[in-house]
Amino acid sequence: MLITKATIFFFDMDGTLINTNVANFLSYKAAILNVVGMDSSLPQYDRGERFNRSWLKSLFPSLGESVYKEIICEKEKCYKDYLCETTLIKENVGVLLKYSATHRMVLVSNSRRRRVMETLSYYGLVNKFTDIFYRETIQGMQIINKYQNAINILGVSPDDIIAFENEDSEIAAAIEAEIKIINPKTLL
């Protein structure tokens, strides 16, 4: 694989650059306790699963939509308290650090801006990216594929992109966006 001056690196954040599952789970747990006053219905943390809105609704099906939204808002506020529970994924961060001085680095995340910036700031990685895309960037866009949206906004060729992503559905989205090199193992 040849890295040229035209090569652009696309990185997902959660589970790709930074393990955030524990912090995410603990944030939800604190938010549920703060909003509804209980957390006994939460299962023990499962390292293989990411606790999300679907899990929240399945565990608490009787809560109204406004309570779900309040929990999610509170979860976003609590997240910064659990940043110490996150860890870097050294191999991928190593690639970011190795090439960030010479190549365009793009963060492409479905996370909200506030959480992206808190997490990257915690590790001093904000200035390693030339472009940062988060959930609010793609809201209202016709294409839901975060990779295709970033390509369209930046006006770059997918042939020039090397992408790093951990979720199967998002890897499929990168392939759909015609990115050919995903998660290479030989860049360090």
Side-chain angles (χ1 to χ4, degrees), residues 47-185:
R47 292 195 180 275
E49 293 286 332
R50 182 161 182 89
F51 193 90
N52 58 28
R53 296 162 195 229
S54 298
W55 276 89
L56 177 65
K57 286 187 176 189
S58 70
L59 289 173
F60 300 99
S62 62
L63 297 178
E65 194 62 33
S66 64
V67 176
Y68 288 127
K69 288 179 181 177
E70 189 177 350
I71 290 170
I72 291 163
C73 183
E74 183 68 17
K75 176 253 180 190
E76 293 291 326
K77 292 176 188 173
C78 293
Y79 178 78
K80 69 182 178 314
D81 298 332
Y82 299 100
L83 282 167
C84 61
E85 300 292 338
T86 63
T87 57
L88 293 175
I89 298 173
K90 291 182 173 122
E91 301 81 20
N92 293 342
V93 171
V95 172
L96 172 69
L97 296 176
K98 180 177 180 177
Y99 294 101
S100 64
T102 57
H103 288 79
R104 191 171 195 176
M105 297 289 157
V106 181
L107 184 83
V108 185
S109 176
N110 286 323
S111 298
R112 296 193 188 299
R113 180 187 190 283
R114 177 180 177 167
R115 199 165 66 72
V116 166
M117 299 310 285
E118 286 173 344
T119 306
L120 293 178
S121 294
Y122 183 77
Y123 287 104
L125 297 176
V126 173
N127 66 346
K128 301 299 179 195
F129 291 97
T130 50
D131 304 277
I132 298 176
F133 293 89
Y134 34 80
R135 180 182 300 247
E136 292 89 340
T137 308
I138 62 170
Q139 284 180 338
M141 297 190 84
Q142 292 179 338
I143 300 170
I144 297 173
N145 183 327
K146 68 183 183 182
Y147 290 101
Q148 189 63 61
N149 281 323
I151 289 167
N152 292 348
I153 291 168
L154 297 173
V156 298
S157 170
D159 294 333
D160 293 331
I161 298 169
I162 296 175
F164 291 84
E165 174 65 61
N166 69 304
E167 289 185 40
D168 290 340
S169 63
E170 296 297 342
I171 290 170
I175 292 168
E176 184 180 309
E178 299 181 10
I179 297 172
K180 293 165 185 57
I181 303 172
I182 303 168
N183 298 328
K185 301 294 180 203

